[in-house]
Amino acid sequence: MQRTRLGAIALGATALLGTALAPSAVAGTDSEIPTFQQFASSTFKDTDRQYIVNGDEPISNSGDLKAYYDRMVHGSEEAMEEGLVVNTVYGVDDKWSTSQVGNLTYCVSTKFGSRHSDVVNAMAAGAALWEGASSRIDYVHVPSQDASCTTRNKSVLFSVEPVQTTQYIARAFFPSTPKRSRNVLVDDSIWTSGSWTPANIMGHELGHTLGFRHEHTRPESGTCFEDNNWRPLTPYDSSSIMHYPQCNGTSSNLSMTATDRQGAAALYGA
């Protein structure tokens, strides 16, 4: 979850890419589009050296970043005219298998210190939003792994760890992300985000872990375009939990909508 207003403040290439590589820019002059070298050099790198794009989405290495850049530059003119959208990889839905989505195990690092129980509760509340949308979705906290909660822990599917950054409130991953990069990172600013409750912020991030993209990448949003690697599951929903309020969203608190629940059921079954 990005912490600044994309339309007003450029967070390195995260916001730069969302504006300079939008369809209107592609239709304009080449000088409006940054070179890949410019884009890569200004893209924020996380504590584990992953690139962060679209506010809260990690990219593991420079090769994948180049592929992302190429899709933005060469594919943005073909934005789909068709709320919830699922990420696609080479045209295939980026989702968990039926057996895996029913056992999404995770740990919550004890490095959160006095906030550990708060993060545990926020994760449980965020997970419950999606579990309530589809009975096949089940997030399972494994407390016995909290003391060794890193991406190297093979006893859980993913880890929830603290981070100190000014670039985002929290960030997650997609189902196609390799295990070495499969974590949810949470900054302390999650506790001071106003109407964005920790439960809803974690719900947004867990939406990514299920394969759901930002709703505002749709052309109906009119801003914050990301790329075309997604498939629509529902009609456009400006109030979606996956829609940044600062990207022409109509929800101020990231609450889950009936359309979000319909999209989750469409992808994973009711």
Side-chain angles (χ1 to χ4, degrees):
M1 170 56 63
Q2 189 169 338
R3 64 163 77 227
T4 57
R5 300 184 66 84
L6 294 182
I9 302 174
L11 278 180
T14 298
L16 176 64
L17 192 58
T19 54
L21 299 187
S24 59
V26 174
T29 64
D30 290 343
S31 62
E32 294 174 307
I33 302 174
T35 66
F36 173 68
Q37 288 73 22
Q38 291 172 327
F39 171 55
S41 65
S42 59
T43 299
F44 174 69
K45 274 192 173 183
D46 217 337
T47 54
D48 54 4
R49 308 305 294 167
Q50 294 192 85
Y51 295 95
I52 302 299
V53 299
N54 300 332
D56 61 354
E57 298 172 7
I59 291 181
S60 298
N61 54 59
S62 59
D64 289 344
L65 186 70
K66 179 61 164 63
Y68 172 85
Y69 172 87
D70 288 341
R71 291 195 302 269
M72 284 292 292
V73 172
H74 302 300
S76 56
E77 290 177 309
E78 302 172 358
M80 299 177 67
E81 296 179 357
E82 272 303 297
L84 212 58
V85 292
V86 61
N87 188 50
T88 59
V89 179
Y90 299 113
V92 178
D93 288 351
D94 189 0
K95 58 180 288 190
W96 300 106
S97 66
T98 300
S99 59
Q100 186 64 82
V101 79
N103 189 35
L104 300 172
T105 58
Y106 67 92
C107 56
V108 178
S109 175
T110 54
K111 291 182 179 178
F112 282 107
S114 61
R115 284 291 193 179
H116 178 263
S117 61
D118 295 327
V119 178
V120 169
N121 292 336
M123 276 291 297
L129 296 175
W130 297 106
E131 292 167 341
S134 170
S135 62
R136 295 183 179 177
I137 297 172
D138 190 13
Y139 286 92
V140 182
H141 178 207
V142 186
S144 62
Q145 301 303 316
D146 287 357
S148 56
C149 189
T150 70
T151 55
R152 295 185 296 275
N153 189 325
K154 296 181 180 180
S155 296
V156 292
L157 194 67
F158 68 94
S159 56
V160 182
E161 304 175 59
V163 68
Q164 292 184 340
T165 182
T166 59
Q167 299 297 310
Y168 55 78
I169 299 172
R171 70 100 168 128
F173 59 90
F174 290 119
S176 58
T177 302
K179 179 64 171 74
R180 66 179 180 275
S181 303
R182 203 181 293 153
N183 57 9
V184 175
L185 298 184
V186 184
D187 181 72
D188 275 345
S189 57
I190 194 173
W191 312 115
T192 56
S193 297
S195 61
W196 296 0
T197 67
N200 286 354
I201 291 173
M202 297 312 294
H204 174 99
E205 297 306 330
L206 291 179
H208 287 315
T209 71
L210 290 170
F212 301 127
R213 290 290 304 275
H214 289 140
E215 185 76 355
H216 49 259
T217 193
R218 296 195 188 207
E220 293 95 327
S221 172
T223 187
C224 300
F225 172 77
E226 295 172 356
D227 61 51
N228 299 311
N229 296 303
W230 48 270
R231 179 178 70 85
L233 297 166
T234 69
Y236 171 68
D237 181 8
S238 62
S239 297
S240 171
I241 192 173
M242 301 309 296
H243 199 308
Y244 283 177
Q246 63 266 35
C247 291
N248 288 340
T250 55
S251 171
S252 61
N253 60 7
L254 288 179
S255 58
M256 178 171 279
T257 68
T259 305
D260 289 326
R261 291 188 285 272
Q262 292 168 7
L267 187 63
Y268 288 109

